[in-house]
Amino acid sequence: MAPDKVPSDDWLVQGDAAPSDVAEHYDAWADSYDDDLDAWSYQAPGTAADIVVALDPRPGSVLDVGCGTGLVGKALRSRGFTGRLVGLDISQVSLDLAQQSGAYDDLHPADLQQRLPLDDDAVDAVACVGVMTYLAAVEAVWREFARVVRPGGHVVVTQREDLWEPRHCQDVVDRLAAEGVWTPQDVRGPEPYLPDSANALAELGCYYVVAAVG
């Protein structure tokens, strides 16, 4: 672990930050990120990958929103996913490491607080793991996820336990369902997130939202 490169407890817990700050922190952390999160027993990438590969029908293409160094992509490939995998992230250093993993077909830099750089109905599934902490506009972001997923495809997204109620996440799930944007298939949690973290995140769980689009 490289303590000088790991963001402070306060920064990690507060979450909501300007895109430039997020990029700066994760660029600095990228080299030790995988090892640090492995030491903290990071649960979400593997759990989300399990959900994605279990979908019926299994998606042929997945967009990994906030892919970072590629933990979700590597988890998907290790579970037998052979479809097209595209990653977006604001940290170029993290994207470079994700490229080296060999898990992704395409990787692109993106400010995830803006419109995603994909056409409507572009992929079969979106996975977004450990990213919503930094995206306070939950409804706008989840609508974007649904926009880029083909009808009948799926969104799999995590949200930290301490942000679920303050950001009215269940209300958003229900509102998008009422409007026919998606059909929730599973909302569960809080489940373990970073149980062996060296900071306050060890006490927090996360929720998983799985929804079929259209």
Side-chain angles (χ1 to χ4, degrees):
M1 185 179 296
D4 58 321
K5 293 187 177 182
V6 178
S8 69
D9 290 9
D10 288 345
W11 191 86
L12 285 169
V13 172
Q14 78 178 18
D16 190 16
S20 59
D21 290 338
V22 176
E24 178 182 351
H25 279 84
Y26 280 88
D27 279 348
W29 192 10
D31 285 342
S32 67
Y33 182 82
D34 289 12
D35 289 340
D36 292 341
L37 268 67
D38 183 61
W40 296 351
S41 300
Y42 189 27
Q43 306 287 306
T47 300
D50 287 338
I51 293 169
V52 171
V53 299
L55 294 174
D56 186 16
R58 183 176 298 190
S61 58
V62 175
L63 175 66
D64 183 2
V65 178
C67 63
T69 58
L71 293 177
V72 171
K74 288 183 283 188
L76 283 168
R77 296 304 189 194
S78 73
R79 287 156 171 78
F81 176 71
T82 59
R84 182 172 180 79
L85 185 56
V86 179
L88 303 177
D89 202 87
I90 199 167
S91 165
Q92 185 60 53
V93 179
S94 298
L95 286 170
D96 292 342
L97 292 171
Q99 180 68 49
Q100 293 174 25
S101 77
Y104 294 84
D105 297 288
D106 285 299
L107 290 157
H108 304 282
D111 177 354
L112 304 180
Q113 296 187 28
Q114 305 299 320
R115 180 182 172 89
L116 297 179
L118 280 84
D119 293 335
D120 295 358
D121 306 338
V123 293
D124 295 313
V126 161
C128 180
V129 178
V131 178
M132 290 304 304
T133 300
Y134 307 107
L135 304 174
V138 172
E139 182 164 351
V141 171
W142 290 0
R143 286 183 183 276
E144 267 296 280
F145 294 171
R147 179 185 68 78
V148 303
V149 172
R150 299 183 182 107
H154 293 83
V155 173
V156 179
V157 59
T158 67
Q159 177 63 288
R160 238 170 52 189
E161 174 187 5
D162 59 322
L163 300 175
W164 184 260
E165 290 189 7
R167 294 186 181 174
H168 310 290
C169 294
Q170 188 63 56
D171 291 342
V172 175
V173 170
D174 295 342
R175 186 154 50 248
L176 297 188
E179 294 179 15
V181 174
W182 68 18
T183 301
Q185 295 187 323
D186 192 17
V187 179
R188 70 176 191 258
E191 296 189 4
Y193 186 51
L194 291 161
D196 295 327
S197 172
N199 55 52
L201 293 175
E203 304 302 320
L204 297 175
C206 76
Y207 285 84
Y208 293 85
V209 176
V210 184
V213 173

